[in-house]
Each structure stands twice: as C-alpha cells, then as structure tokens.
Amino acid sequence: MEKSIYKQIQLTYNDYTRNYDNYLLEFLNDYEDNTELFYIKEQKVLLDNSLTNLKEVIKNLKEEDENKEEMLDLFRNRINTTDRIKAFLEHRKQELENELNTTLPRVPANESLLNWKGSQTEFIELIKALIENGNIKGTQTEIISKLSKVFNFEIKHPNKLITDIKKRNNGSETLFLDKLQKSLLDYINQEKKK
C-alpha cells in the first residue's frame, strides 16, 4: 500500500480526487471487511508520514546544495498538494460519518419498514439504473445509503458490486432488470386475458 500512496502523492490534487473511487475499490477488494472509513484513516496516516519525510528533507538541505531553491519549491508544492488531499479525505470522512449518524424516524412496532428480499447485487442494479436514468437525484453514496434504510437492507461494498455489474458478459448486463421486465409483462398479459 505504501508504494501506491507514493504514486498517489506524485499526482496532482485533481488527479487524486478524480481517481479516488478507483483507489478505494482496489483497497476494498483486498479484504472484504475493509471499509471506506478505514481506507481514509490509512491514507491519512500514510500522507502524514509522507509530509514528515518531506519536511525532514527540507530541513536537511544545505545552503551550498545546487538547485536548493528549485527543490524547496518542489517540496513546498508537494506539501501543499498533500495537505489538500488530507483535507479532501477529512471532508469525505465527515460525509460518511454524517450518513452513519442520519437515522430514519422511529417506526412504531406495529408498522414495519419495507423489506428487500432480493440480493445485494439486484438491489444495486436497480438503484444504479434509477440513478443513471435520472429518476433519483443526489450522490450515489447517499442514495444507496438512504434506500438501504428504507428497504431495511444492508449493502456491503456498493462500489465493488457496481464494478462487478460492469464486468458482466455481453447479454447478461441487466439480469435483474430483465427479470423485472418479464414479471411486469407476464402480469400485463394475464390481466389482458381476464
């Protein structure tokens, strides 16, 4: 992981934030119990270590070092970029913690939440289709989180599930949506026969 963080801090802030989901997905794929919050914590530790190393190098530069000012500018830029990435990670951490602290209103015991009976992949396939079609607005993370609560259904690693859907073979990209379409068409045809 340290090798990848080294590559990441060589990127610009925009490159890092644009590729954040890919870095996260790689981390989540390493171990099924990894979480985005754990990823952020690990990234911040590695970035802090990187900052310490950069500051140590700056401190050890000697006046007679050739290109000292250019090196100082380069290191200052790296420090600035690393600080901005840390701020981005802290903001993302706050978003996740807010989502975790957001709860649905208490449902009286005699009423129940809707209960999803399908698989996690089917749930994500449906939600992703609604998001991509523009039927539901908001960030993908908050939509999945809120609908998971509505349907009383825990989704582990939604980004990994979406990636798995994208990797499906031709002709099987929309398995659940195809099943839904068939169910609705069967219903319509039965109603027409009545």
Side-chain angles (χ1 to χ4, degrees):
M1 193 62 170
E2 282 195 48
K3 194 171 192 180
S4 66
I5 194 68
Y6 178 76
K7 288 180 185 175
Q8 290 169 19
I9 66 161
Q10 299 306 311
L11 300 173
T12 65
Y13 169 80
N14 289 335
D15 287 337
Y16 182 87
T17 56
R18 191 173 27 253
N19 290 298
Y20 176 80
D21 287 337
N22 294 331
Y23 298 137
L24 173 61
L25 187 59
E26 185 180 317
F27 178 81
L28 295 175
N29 285 334
D30 284 345
Y31 181 63
E32 74 176 46
D33 288 336
N34 280 343
T35 65
E36 187 171 0
L37 283 172
F38 185 70
Y39 172 75
I40 290 169
K41 181 179 178 182
E42 183 176 88
Q43 289 284 285
K44 288 171 75 177
V45 167
L46 293 171
L47 288 166
D48 282 340
N49 289 341
S50 173
L51 279 175
T52 301
N53 292 340
L54 284 171
K55 289 175 182 175
E56 189 65 30
V57 170
I58 289 172
K59 192 168 79 173
N60 290 327
L61 281 175
K62 296 185 172 48
E63 285 301 319
E64 62 274 2
D65 284 344
E66 200 174 308
N67 303 324
K68 178 182 178 187
E69 286 307 312
E70 290 173 20
M71 291 171 56
L72 284 173
D73 285 343
L74 174 69
F75 291 141
R76 285 184 194 116
N77 285 338
R78 284 288 107 218
I79 290 169
N80 181 45
T81 298
T82 303
D83 284 338
R84 289 181 67 203
I85 291 170
K86 282 179 60 182
F88 165 80
L89 291 169
E90 183 59 33
H91 177 74
R92 181 67 190 131
K93 177 182 171 221
Q94 293 299 323
E95 287 179 336
L96 290 169
E97 287 172 345
N98 288 341
E99 287 174 17
L100 291 173
N101 293 331
T102 304
T103 58
L104 290 173
R106 291 249 179 238
V107 178
N110 59 351
E111 296 179 33
S112 65
L113 295 172
L114 298 172
N115 288 306
W116 181 263
K117 297 297 184 191
S119 70
Q120 288 188 40
T121 302
E122 290 171 334
F123 185 84
I124 289 296
E125 186 178 327
L126 176 63
I127 304 280
K128 188 63 176 164
L130 292 170
I131 291 169
E132 293 304 315
N133 195 45
N135 295 102
I136 302 176
K137 298 293 183 194
T139 68
Q140 181 171 288
T141 302
E142 67 186 23
I143 290 169
I144 291 170
S145 175
K146 288 177 182 177
L147 288 176
S148 294
K149 289 174 185 168
V150 168
F151 284 97
N152 196 26
F153 189 72
E154 183 183 4
I155 296 293
K156 294 182 180 178
H157 314 301
N159 292 332
K160 181 182 182 321
L161 293 169
I162 290 168
T163 299
D164 291 345
I165 289 170
K166 290 191 289 191
K167 291 179 182 176
R168 288 179 177 168
N169 294 330
N170 288 343
S172 64
E173 297 91 349
T174 56
L175 295 173
F176 183 62
L177 296 176
D178 295 343
K179 192 162 74 171
L180 286 178
Q181 180 184 23
K182 182 184 178 327
S183 297
L184 182 58
L185 288 173
D186 288 348
Y187 165 77
I188 291 169
N189 289 333
Q190 280 184 334
E191 288 299 308
K192 285 181 180 177
K193 289 177 185 177
K194 289 183 179 179

